[in-house]
Amino acid sequence: MGRAILVADDDADNRTIASDALQAAGFEVLAASDGHEAIELAVSRKPELILLDLSMPKLDGWQAVRRLKTIAETRGIPVIAFTAHAMTGDDRKAREAGCDDYISKPCLPGKIIEKVKEWLPRS
Ligand SMILES: [Mg+2]
């Protein structure tokens, strides 16, 4: 099995930027555009890490991470939040919701890879 990363973001451009960078770094990418898809893919494909946009339709990232951390199969998967609100306290709120780390948007593709490698040191 390849080293799959789940990219969940409702913005197609953001998904493409993250996916291209991850694929160039040798990862397989699974893509979701809302929280429901993210949970389904996380349960069925068990990615090694999840990049999760917090602002998404249907089920947002805040709700999705809370669910992911209660499901036995997905609880142990590191979740890195993508947040557009680089506001004081947002990192704390993301961690309280269950995220393991966060990246504020906009960010360079290199930053995403750097952060993923912090969590997956074998890559
Ligand atoms: Mg969004």
Side-chain angles (χ1 to χ4, degrees), residues 40-53:
E40 272 177 33
L41 276 171
V43 170
S44 63
R45 302 289 302 277
K46 298 185 184 61
E48 291 199 57
L49 184 143
I50 299 170
L51 289 169
L52 185 70
D53 177 27

Side-chain angles (χ1 to χ4, degrees), residues 30-84:
L30 310 168
S33 55
D34 65 56
H36 289 302
E37 276 181 23
I39 291 170
E40 272 177 33
L41 276 171
V43 170
S44 63
R45 302 289 302 277
K46 298 185 184 61
E48 291 199 57
L49 184 143
I50 299 170
L51 289 169
L52 185 70
D53 177 27
L54 292 174
S55 302
M56 290 190 293
K58 297 183 190 172
L59 187 75
D60 67 25
W62 302 99
Q63 296 170 292
V65 70
R66 285 195 179 93
R67 290 197 199 174
L68 287 166
K69 293 300 182 180
T70 64
I71 299 170
E73 296 96 316
T74 58
R75 175 182 297 147
I77 302 173
V79 175
I80 300 176
F82 265 138
T83 172

